[in-house]
Amino acid sequence: MVSEIHLSDDLGDSNLTVSDFANTLDAAIRTLLEEQSTGLIAGGKISNKLVELEIPEKLVVIGDIHGDLRALHNILKKIKIDKFVLNHNNKIIFLGDYVDRGLGSIEVLYTICSLKIQHPHSVVLMRGNHEAPVEFPISSHDLPKRMTERFGRRIGTEIYQTKIMDLFHLLYLITIIKGELFLVHGGVPTDLSNITMKFNEIVPNETGLFGDMLEEILWNDPRILPDGKDWENSRRGLGKHFSSNVSKNWLSISKTKVIVRGHEPCNGFKLDHDGMVLTLFSCNEAYPKFSVGYISTSGIRLHSIRNGFDLSEMVKIL
Ligand SMILES: [Mn+2]
């Protein structure tokens, strides 16, 4: 049995045991495997790493957390998580980048996994570039070090290499709220040839990697580019910068109004591409100059939006 979510005010002294952590990871993996094999989630459907949802009753979207347990707890308290998750048609969507940089990566993983196990229909866990697959050449986080410090080299490494990597592999890459939002961690792919085919192909794929689209979904950033130029290489080493034309094409093909993504530090949120792209950033332990932002709204209000400017009025700042 996994213990109830406990949002203590004292974050310094963690009582998390290695067996508690390992069992919670196992249970989260089982929950994700189960829902991916049935394709079932309340008010929507799951096709491999794509989640398609009808407009929920209430919606919360949380951007990068980066091991900032305090920021996560503050958001969960504000939205009254205990009540929120009781309704299967309320959805809380995490955009990925749970770990790295902050001191609470292990506790943040534990918290989001506990939420998913207890309330699988209300919680959507997406994948960030810091939950990178082993196939990528960039070491994306300090988790191996944190695991070793906390649980010892042998057990820490074993849990990291098996359970945590398995969990990351099961996280979602795209979530669509029908008619309204297209959610990814980084951005949308820049190759617009056969975009209709690509959109249809994001559904099933043996590996769940969407071929070469994975890198762009996890790493891309929106930028203003010269007319006629749809992308340039990113200075991050992976991924690309995508143009407003690329955003426009993906919104049109997916019949949604705003691309919502995380991935870039900012003061809670920012808008790009004339309001076609809204970036959320939900932590500040490692970025003390910034505020914590997240979306909290009702389905009725969400349905009234025309673009990211309207959506930005539903961003709460802590
Ligand atoms: Mn990121």
Side-chain angles (χ1 to χ4, degrees), residues 64 97 129-130 185 263:
D64 298 21
D97 278 6
N129 61 309
H130 289 259
H185 175 73
H263 196 45

Side-chain angles (χ1 to χ4, degrees), residues 64 66 95-97 101 128-131 185-186 218-219 221 236 261-264 281:
D64 298 21
H66 280 307
L95 296 174
D97 278 6
R101 299 191 178 137
N129 61 309
H130 289 259
E131 289 82 43
H185 175 73
L218 295 188
W219 267 273
D221 296 302
R236 292 176 186 266
R261 42 87 68 172
H263 196 45
E264 280 186 279
F281 202 67

Side-chain angles (χ1 to χ4, degrees), residues 51 53 55-56 59 61 93 174-184 251 254-260 278 295 297 302 305 307-308 311:
V51 182
L53 300 171
I55 298 177
L59 173 71
V61 186
I93 301 174
I174 297 175
T175 301
I176 290 174
I177 297 182
K178 274 192 199 159
E180 312 298 335
L181 307 182
F182 190 95
L183 302 111
V184 285
L251 288 178
S254 61
K255 300 187 176 64
T256 55
K257 297 171 189 164
V258 190
I259 295 165
V260 179
L278 186 141
I295 290 172
T297 190
L302 179 66
I305 64 166
N307 51 44
L311 183 64

Side-chain angles (χ1 to χ4, degrees), residues 133-164:
V134 281
E135 296 87 355
F136 282 94
I138 290 181
S139 164
S140 66
H141 47 244
D142 53 20
L143 250 194
K145 182 166 157 272
R146 301 252 180 257
M147 290 293 293
T148 301
E149 283 167 0
R150 176 72 74 87
F151 301 125
R153 181 166 298 279
R154 189 181 62 80
I155 293 177
T157 305
E158 187 189 315
I159 294 176
Y160 172 76
Q161 286 178 347
T162 56
K163 300 175 196 302
I164 290 178

Side-chain angles (χ1 to χ4, degrees), residues 23-43:
N23 291 339
T24 300
L25 290 168
D26 279 338
I29 289 166
R30 280 198 303 275
T31 301
L32 289 165
L33 280 171
E34 165 78 12
E35 71 180 14
Q36 285 168 30
S37 75
T38 60
L40 298 175
I41 187 165

Side-chain angles (χ1 to χ4, degrees), residues 38-187:
T38 60
L40 298 175
I41 187 165
K45 63 176 180 173
I46 291 168
S47 318
N48 200 354
K49 301 303 181 287
L50 168 70
V51 182
E52 289 175 283
L53 300 171
E54 304 295 334
I55 298 177
E57 266 175 55
K58 286 184 187 167
L59 173 71
V60 168
V61 186
I62 298 178
D64 298 21
I65 304 168
H66 280 307
D68 185 350
L69 186 64
R70 183 176 299 278
L72 177 60
H73 277 193
N74 287 342
I75 295 170
L76 296 179
K77 274 184 201 161
K78 278 276 183 215
I79 65 167
K80 300 191 169 64
I81 187 69
D82 291 342
K83 275 196 187 145
F84 185 94
V85 288
L86 294 180
N87 182 341
H88 287 181
N89 291 315
N90 292 342
K91 304 294 178 192
I92 177 166
I93 301 174
F94 291 90
L95 296 174
D97 278 6
Y98 309 107
V99 300
D100 206 24
R101 299 191 178 137
L103 294 175
S105 291
I106 291 169
E107 284 78 11
V108 167
L109 269 186
Y110 177 75
T111 304
I112 59 161
C113 286
S114 301
L115 275 173
K116 180 64 188 173
I117 299 160
Q118 292 166 33
H119 309 285
H121 289 285
S122 301
V123 179
V124 175
L125 301 180
M126 299 186 66
R127 187 174 199 171
N129 61 309
H130 289 259
E131 289 82 43
V134 281
E135 296 87 355
F136 282 94
I138 290 181
S139 164
S140 66
H141 47 244
D142 53 20
L143 250 194
K145 182 166 157 272
R146 301 252 180 257
M147 290 293 293
T148 301
E149 283 167 0
R150 176 72 74 87
F151 301 125
R153 181 166 298 279
R154 189 181 62 80
I155 293 177
T157 305
E158 187 189 315
I159 294 176
Y160 172 76
Q161 286 178 347
T162 56
K163 300 175 196 302
I164 290 178
M165 285 296 119
D166 284 357
L167 175 79
F168 288 177
H169 188 68
L170 291 167
L171 300 174
Y172 295 104
L173 297 181
I174 297 175
T175 301
I176 290 174
I177 297 182
K178 274 192 199 159
E180 312 298 335
L181 307 182
F182 190 95
L183 302 111
V184 285
H185 175 73

